[in-house]
Amino acid sequence: SKDRDVYYDGYGPQREYTMVLPGGTGYQTGQTIAEQVVNVTWGDDIQPVVNGKYKIVNRNSKKVVEVVGGSVDNGAYIRQNTANTQSYQQWNIAPVDSRVGGDFSYFTIQAVHSGKSLDVLNWSLENNALIDTWDYSKASIQQWYFDYAGDGWFYIRSRYSAKCLDVQNSSTGVAYIVQKDKSGANSQQWRLIPIDAPVEFVAPSAPANLVALPNAVSVSLAWDASPETDVAGYTVFRAESASGPYSTIGRNVATTTFVDNTAAKNTQYYYAVKAVDKTLNRSEYSAQVSAMVTGEKDLVAQYKFEGNALDSTRNYNHAAMYGGATYIAGKAGAKAISLNGSNAFVQLPATIANHGETTIAAWVYLNGVSAWQRVFDFGNDQNQYMFLTPRTNNGQMRFAIKNGGSEQVLNTTGMPYRTWTHVALTINSTGGRLYVNGVQVAESSAITISPNDFKPVLNYIGRSQFSDPLFNGCIDDFRVYNYALSANEVAVVAGIISKAPTVDYNNSLMCWPVPASDVLHVNYAGVGGGGLSELSILTLEGKLVLARNIQNTTDMELDVSAIPAGVYLLKLNNKETSAVKKLVLGH
């Protein structure tokens, strides 16, 4: 899903879903013809995931399905009755194996106490045919499809007859379970309740005091817990209009906080939360709040790989590891991730690169000699991507970006083997730049594509959009920014210099006149710090233009007559503090 997070048969929110189809020992040898229906949904009412041990509760009667008399014999009928704790009222519900034959969209429903399966009596295709239990034979009369009706309720339909489980005569008392044509009646709707949850239908209270705090690239939400003791979690909703519609962006949230890290820039969002109890009863919506990300320059994600793939920023853009990923002694911290080149890679969130400007930086240790390995590859397919490979087939390091047209590239000397190398890639409106160990090694104004142009969904460390070799080596301190770092800032990230200038206005660092043409007067009495200081002028990209060492004074005059007109940074730096102020020079 390229444009939104969705749910696949209740799994999500996520952007991709993998169906595993049965293979064979060779072409047309041992292969089963197979297909599967996947329910792809979004909105405010998402079906529960079906796979586990449940009580099956009828919507009309609020009674549960049981095997009559707790029988373990073949042919035992099933009925509805008042809930108890006996295992003959409990059912193991699981997807059928993909080799069951043909369509494998179905489930088996097996009694916990006997292991026998729900079955249509005598292979009947008629309405009101009874349902019994029998040894599992993989027959179509023992396979069932869960057709979502809404609010946690399902129609349970026979693969064999396509009819729905129903209560005989729509009874609310003790009554047999039969099959009937789908009518939409409440007696045909069933809820799957975990066996440790009570059968009750009183919804919890709505969460109170929801607040939304906008960050640069995310929105932090917090609310008060609902007071009921059986609350299992919370569902978080988001809309782009105060009147809705809502989409579910978080489900089964166990805490009373949530970070929306998929919020786009320049969009006002409206949020609400519901409490959900163990029986799947949902509260009313909380009071609505709204927020918009600030869009300020920020670190979007930082993966330190200290024994996990968690994002250490407030945006919670956690990654997932696959295959044989392990950890070794790190370069930037205690540990780094080690990828084996055969099955290991890291997948990052789908919206992590959706920015008009970006910087991607990391420490890299290359072991493998195969060409076209990937440090990172963010894309949607083989026509929309951006990647960094340590070595092409001619031995060069290459960054490439493509959005359906021609590939735009930066090339430089290939990455050395078996040594830690810092790499950084920046993209903004002036083009692309590649840095190695804090030093710019390539740039091009012909890099005109930004990742926000194609919004990559499949974002990997160590894996390609193509069938290229997986990365063999180690990665540490992998960072993504929503802006292009200056050369000075890249050098700081690479550890070449100790501290980067910021562009925060500092009232304690004073200068005049503005704009200055020949002499700039500077006063720094309020900055603090004793001893030797350095006063410098830098370009906005961090290039040093002028520097003076100062000591035992709070005033200085700088000759700026030889500096071209423009906007610069005036920086005071000493061992105790650093102050930065924007400066305008004009001649």
Side-chain angles (χ1 to χ4, degrees):
S1 171
K2 288 181 64 176
D3 64 341
R4 70 180 73 205
D5 288 349
V6 297
Y7 292 80
Y8 300 85
D9 283 340
Y11 290 96
Q14 58 199 54
R15 294 295 187 100
E16 60 178 313
Y17 179 80
T18 301
M19 274 196 331
V20 180
L21 300 172
T25 57
Y27 178 64
Q28 294 186 345
T29 303
Q31 298 184 31
T32 303
I33 296 173
E35 63 185 15
Q36 182 184 7
V37 174
V38 179
N39 188 26
V40 183
T41 55
W42 60 91
D44 68 343
D45 187 4
I46 307 297
Q47 74 165 70
V49 171
V50 178
N51 193 356
K53 189 179 293 185
Y54 306 96
K55 291 176 276 194
I56 304 175
V57 184
N58 186 261
R59 186 170 193 172
N60 184 55
S61 66
K62 307 302 188 291
K63 290 183 165 50
V64 303
V65 175
E66 69 175 15
V67 178
V68 174
S71 174
V72 297
D73 297 329
N74 284 332
Y77 296 139
I78 64 169
R79 66 185 180 189
Q80 68 173 14
N81 204 347
T82 302
N84 59 40
T85 59
Q86 299 302 311
S87 59
Y88 59 79
Q89 288 189 344
Q90 300 173 9
W91 304 87
N92 283 314
I93 303 179
V96 298
D97 186 85
S98 61
R99 289 187 177 274
V100 74
D103 185 352
F104 62 99
S105 310
Y106 301 93
F107 291 78
T108 56
I109 304 175
Q110 297 178 314
V112 168
H113 76 295
S114 67
K116 297 188 184 298
S117 297
L118 284 195
D119 181 293
V120 180
L121 183 65
N122 294 330
W123 291 81
S124 176
L125 292 170
E126 300 300 320
N127 284 329
N128 293 307
L130 291 169
I131 307 299
D132 62 358
T133 57
W134 205 273
D135 291 332
Y136 181 54
S137 64
K138 299 183 181 180
S140 59
I141 57 171
Q142 295 180 344
Q143 298 174 37
W144 305 89
Y145 183 73
F146 284 83
D147 182 0
Y148 191 53
D151 196 25
W153 302 97
F154 289 93
Y155 301 100
I156 303 177
R157 306 183 68 169
S158 167
R159 176 178 184 174
Y160 174 69
S161 68
K163 298 183 187 298
C164 298
L165 292 186
D166 202 340
V167 179
Q168 195 172 54
N169 299 320
S170 299
S171 173
T172 58
V174 177
Y176 289 115
I177 307 301
V178 297
Q179 68 174 12
K180 291 184 70 173
D181 292 331
K182 184 178 179 180
S183 67
N186 283 353
S187 61
Q188 293 184 344
Q189 297 178 37
W190 308 86
R191 181 175 287 182
L192 308 180
I193 296 178
I195 61 172
D196 60 347
V199 178
E200 55 84 20
F201 297 92
V202 178
S205 306
N209 298 320
L210 175 64
V211 294
L213 174 65
N215 305 314
V217 292
S218 63
V219 176
S220 298
L221 302 173
W223 59 90
D224 292 345
S226 297
E228 290 78 10
T229 58
D230 65 338
V231 170
Y234 299 89
T235 303
V236 182
F237 304 89
R238 187 182 75 186
E240 296 184 17
S241 167
S243 59
Y246 281 125
S247 278
T248 303
I249 62 170
R251 197 163 62 154
N252 303 320
V253 178
T255 65
T256 56
T257 60
F258 182 82
V259 175
D260 176 14
N261 51 27
T262 65
K265 188 178 178 181
N266 300 323
T267 302
Q268 188 78 27
Y269 291 107
Y270 300 84
Y271 297 93
V273 178
K274 286 186 176 183
V276 183
D277 66 21
K278 296 178 180 179
T279 314
L280 306 186
N281 300 308
R282 305 194 301 169
S283 74
E284 298 296 325
Y285 289 115
S286 68
Q288 185 184 83
V289 296
S290 66
M292 178 189 296
V293 299
T294 66
E296 297 170 336
K297 295 179 178 180
D298 202 9
L299 178 61
V300 176
Q302 181 179 14
Y303 304 99
K304 297 181 179 180
F305 296 121
E306 296 297 321
N308 57 55
L310 300 179
D311 172 22
S312 61
T313 76
R314 61 186 173 183
N315 303 311
Y316 284 34
N317 281 305
H318 301 322
M321 298 184 300
Y322 294 87
T326 57
Y327 295 96
I328 65 162
K331 170 62 177 177
K335 295 181 180 179
I337 195 167
S338 177
L339 305 178
N340 59 20
S342 59
N343 67 350
F345 63 94
V346 181
Q347 185 162 8
L348 308 184
T351 59
I352 196 169
N354 292 359
H355 310 289
E357 296 187 9
T358 193
T359 299
I360 302 171
W363 282 101
V364 182
Y365 189 96
L366 178 63
N367 283 325
V369 298
S370 300
W372 300 110
Q373 298 177 61
R374 297 290 199 265
V375 175
F376 66 85
D377 194 327
F378 297 172
N380 295 315
D381 49 39
Q382 296 181 7
N383 289 304
Q384 293 181 325
Y385 55 76
M386 56 185 287
F387 70 76
L388 179 67
T389 181
R391 285 181 174 261
T392 63
N393 51 12
N394 63 6
Q396 290 185 309
M397 187 189 308
R398 173 177 293 179
F399 167 75
I401 187 168
K402 182 176 181 179
N403 185 23
S406 299
E407 192 176 74
Q408 300 174 0
V409 301
L410 292 170
N411 290 314
T412 190
T413 304
M415 183 179 291
Y417 293 110
R418 297 178 181 86
T419 185
W420 281 107
T421 303
H422 191 268
V423 293
L425 179 281
T426 70
I427 296 176
N428 62 11
S429 60
T430 64
R433 294 171 179 82
L434 186 60
Y435 299 82
V436 174
N437 291 327
V439 178
Q440 182 178 302
V441 293
E443 72 172 316
S444 173
S445 60
I447 303 290
T448 60
I449 304 169
S450 83
N452 205 42
D453 293 335
F454 56 91
K455 293 180 172 61
V457 170
L458 305 176
N459 303 322
Y460 304 119
I461 297 173
R463 177 180 173 179
S464 171
Q465 308 293 328
F466 296 79
S467 56
D468 298 307
L470 294 177
F471 181 77
N472 184 352
C474 308
I475 304 287
D476 199 5
D477 194 26
F478 190 99
R479 303 184 183 202
V480 179
Y481 294 82
N482 68 341
Y483 67 103
L485 295 184
S486 68
N488 204 52
E489 290 171 317
V490 170
V492 170
V493 173
I496 305 303
I497 60 178
S498 61
K499 189 173 183 179
T502 68
V503 293
D504 293 336
Y505 190 94
N506 191 300
N507 290 319
S508 299
L509 180 60
M510 308 296 293
C511 63
W512 68 91
V514 178
S517 57
D518 297 315
V519 176
L520 179 71
H521 299 270
V522 183
N523 177 279
Y524 37 90
V527 174
L532 183 68
S533 297
E534 182 184 62
L535 189 66
S536 55
I537 296 176
L538 305 98
T539 68
L540 295 181
E541 289 75 33
K543 182 179 178 181
L544 182 65
V545 176
L546 181 149
R548 295 286 186 272
N549 289 328
I550 52 179
Q551 192 168 19
N552 301 324
T553 182
T554 59
D555 293 278
M556 176 170 277
E557 293 182 355
L558 297 178
D559 181 0
V560 295
S561 59
I563 302 176
V567 180
Y568 296 84
L569 298 177
L570 177 66
K571 179 185 178 184
L572 179 76
N573 192 58
N574 56 47
K575 65 180 181 179
E576 295 181 14
T577 188
S578 179
V580 178
K581 185 180 183 68
K582 275 190 177 180
L583 167 67
V584 180
L585 300 181
H587 303 291

